[in-house]
Amino acid sequence: MINTSFAVNLKNHLIFKLVFALAILALSTSCDSKRAKSDLDITFVQDTLNVGYTYWWEESGPFIGYCGKEYALVFSGTVVNLDKANHDAAPLYISQKGTIALDEVYKIKDMGNNSYANQKYFSTDCFSNMDINVGDKVLVFCYDYEGGLTIPGNSSIIKIKSLDHPLVGATKRFIDADENPVEIKEDSTLWSAYGYRKQLDQLIRCKENNERITSK
């Protein structure tokens, strides 16, 4: 006959081990999520962030600059409003204002008082000549200019089918790698399919050349 006290102790011991294992698993999962720079937990406020359009910049998109320019704000969202194009609003470009409701944020650069402050809506006037409609999901890349946020053109707004789109994962990997292009070489084919292979290759060459010079 099994000793009742022994059975109770054994049961308590097994329960303790199970609880301990679950606690370790939960802690491990929590630590992994915290390590990812692009996994930002945002509590949105019902305000609109108005971002200027640096139409005179020669480059636009997720990879700009000879050796790259750090992101100031990267997010995915849903287009909720598009005004008609206004040919008279600006002398050097066609202005078309649009508004995006943010779904997820992947990068926020610390810019002091000009940093992104959890606004739910994003508005800018660079939507002219884009194949984008109200209801479309988009991936957006913003930079800093003279201490403020800016978007350098409509190539910095990429239409995606969903938040699980491959470019979202590729963008997060780039951010998690401290925006080191060498670390995302395996994503070159993916970015190439969306017309960004040349820009990414340039960043990779520059980074590798700088690393060779530094190592000498």
Side-chain angles (χ1 to χ4, degrees):
M1 176 178 277
I2 299 176
N3 185 283
T4 303
S5 178
F6 175 80
V8 170
N9 288 337
L10 178 61
K11 180 180 179 182
N12 289 340
H13 178 69
L14 292 175
I15 292 174
F16 173 80
K17 290 182 68 175
L18 177 61
V19 171
F20 181 78
L22 291 174
I24 292 297
L25 178 61
L27 180 61
S28 174
T29 302
S30 175
C31 290
D32 287 343
S33 63
K34 289 180 181 178
R35 280 198 298 270
K37 297 178 183 294
S38 62
D39 288 336
L40 301 181
D41 186 13
I42 302 296
T43 301
F44 293 113
V45 295
Q46 298 299 312
D47 290 331
T48 299
L49 174 66
N50 295 293
V51 173
Y53 172 23
T54 43
Y55 61 88
W56 60 92
W57 283 15
E58 295 181 356
E59 296 176 287
S60 174
F63 308 110
I64 68 173
Y66 186 78
C67 289
K69 182 172 175 59
E70 182 185 1
Y71 298 144
L73 176 65
V74 182
F75 66 89
S76 57
T78 306
V79 178
V80 295
N81 182 68
L82 281 174
D83 293 346
K84 291 183 178 180
N86 188 340
H87 294 256
D88 301 321
L92 299 177
Y93 71 97
I94 300 172
S95 173
Q96 184 175 10
K97 191 172 183 179
T99 302
I100 301 168
L102 278 68
D103 292 323
E104 295 179 343
V105 180
Y106 310 118
K107 169 68 183 281
I108 302 171
K109 182 179 179 180
D110 184 1
M111 300 170 60
N113 293 332
N114 292 325
S115 301
Y116 167 70
N118 295 13
Q119 292 94 334
K120 175 63 178 177
Y121 300 97
F122 172 95
S123 180
T124 190
D125 65 345
C126 71
F127 282 90
S128 177
N129 297 318
M130 294 185 68
D131 182 25
I132 286 180
N133 300 302
V134 171
D136 286 344
K137 295 286 185 182
V138 289
L139 180 61
V140 182
F141 301 86
C142 298
Y143 301 88
D144 65 281
Y145 175 69
E146 295 185 345
L149 285 166
T150 187
I151 189 163
N154 52 31
S155 291
S156 285
I157 302 176
I158 303 174
K159 184 163 68 172
I160 56 177
K161 290 184 178 180
S162 69
L163 300 182
D164 294 328
H165 193 279
L167 286 188
V168 173
T171 298
K172 295 182 67 175
R173 286 191 291 274
F174 186 43
I175 293 170
D176 293 340
D178 293 325
E179 297 177 40
N180 182 347
V182 177
E183 298 295 326
I184 61 163
K185 276 186 174 182
E186 67 275 10
D187 288 326
S188 293
T189 301
L190 173 61
W191 285 110
S192 177
Y194 291 87
Y196 298 103
R197 178 65 177 264
K198 182 179 179 181
Q199 295 92 326
L200 179 55
D201 284 350
Q202 171 57 46
L203 265 60
I204 293 173
R205 286 195 300 270
C206 182
K207 182 67 175 180
E208 289 178 335
N209 287 337
N210 288 340
E211 289 177 347
R212 282 194 290 267
I213 293 172
T214 302
S215 64
K216 289 183 179 179

